[in-house]
Amino acid sequence: MSRNPFKPTAGATPPVLVGREPALEELDEALDDGAGSPYLLQFVTGARGAGKTVMLTEMGRRARERGWIVVDETATPGLLTRLTRAVRHHREQLGSPDRSRISGVGLNILGTGGDVRMEGAPREAPDLRDEIGALCDAMDRHDGETGLIITVDEIHTIRQEELDELAAIIQHLIREDRSVGLLMAGIPQAVEQMIADNAQRPKVSTFLRRAERTVLEHVPLADVAAAFQQTISEGGRSISEEVAWECARATSGYPFMIQLVGFHTWRVGREGPVTREHVTQGRAKARKRLGELVHAPALRDLSAVDRTFLTHMSVDDGPSRYADLRTRMGETPNYISVYRDRLIRAGMIQPSAVHGHVEFALPELRGYLREHAAQLVAEVNEDDQG
C-alpha cells in the first residue's frame, strides 16, 4: 500500500507547494544578489491556513541550499535572547572567537623572568547586533557570498520592546551592508495594525513599512487540480483530470484545505484509482477536521461579542450588510464598527467587494458556525453570566 503523500499538519511542508513559485523565485534572486536586496526584508501575510509557516520553512530551506545560515523563530517572549543564542552557536561552529573576553598580556614581574599572563575582566556579553556582526565577519572570511537569514513566525504577536529592538538591529546591519535578511509572517490586518501602532516611533515604523509584502492568497483552481494529479501520481495512484478538478473545487483554493482534502480522499480509497466517491467522502472528513483544527481554535481566541457577530453573519448566504448586522444585534453603527474592525484585524472577516458589506476570510467558516450555532450561543451566555 502506498504511503499517503498529503500532509495536513500545521506547518508541515507539502510535497507540492502550489501557487507559491513566483514569490519563492523572488527570494531566490534576492539570495543570489546578497546584501541590500529588498526581498531579504519582507512580510509573508495571509489568512489562517494560507501556508505562512510553510512558506517561511520553504524560504529557509532554499536559503540553506545556497549556503546561507538560517535561524527560525516564533515571536513569543524571549525572542531576542533565543536569536542571540542561536546566532552565537552558528558563529562558534564557524570557529569565530568569542570577543566578549579580552586576551591577557604577558608581564615580567620584578625581573624574575617568570612570564605571568593576566586576563582582563570579561566584557558585557555581546548582544544580538554584535553576534550577527561577528557571524557575518566569519562568513565573509569563509566564502564572502552568503549571510544570515532570520525567519520570525506570528510576528504580529511580538512584544513592543522586542519589535523596536529587532527592527533597530536589522536596520543598522543593513546600513552596514551586512548580508542579513529578516523574513516575517503574520495575519495581514494584524501586521498592518502593528506597523500603524508604531507610527509614533518613526524610525521603526518607516523601516518596517519599507519591507516587501508577499500576500498568500487562494490558489487558482487550475493549479490545485494540477497539483492533485501530480501528487497522487507520484504517490503511486492514478486520478483522472475530472476527479482532480472535483478535488480542487472541494478546497476552494485554500492551501490547508488542499492538504486536508487530499489526505482524506487518499485514505478513503487507500489504493487504486481515486474516484468521485472518494472525493465526496474525503471532503466531508476534511471539512470536519478544518473545523476542529482551524475554526474552533480561532473562535476560542475571540470574545463573546466577536463570536456573536460572526454567528449573525453566518445567517447570510453571501457577504453581510452592516445594516443587517446592526438590526440583528440591536446595536449602534459605532458598536458594529468596533467589532467589525476587531474581526478584520484578527483575520476572521474581510471587507467585501460590495460596498458596505463584509465576508468571511476563512473557507467553510459559515457552515461551521451554522452547525455549531447553539453551542456558540450557550458559550456566549456562559461568558455573560461569568
Side-chain angles (χ1 to χ4, degrees), residues 43 155-158 160 163 184 189-199 208:
F43 289 107
I155 188 64
H156 55 279
T157 65
I158 192 171
Q160 184 62 60
L163 176 64
M184 303 162 282
Q189 297 85 352
V191 167
E192 294 305 323
Q193 186 63 46
M194 177 188 76
I195 295 172
D197 288 344
N198 278 274
L208 292 176

Side-chain angles (χ1 to χ4, degrees), residues 54 102 116 143 175 187 198 221 231 267 347:
V54 169
I102 301 174
V116 179
D143 62 18
R175 287 172 57 189
I187 296 171
N198 278 274
L221 294 188
T231 304
R267 289 192 72 188

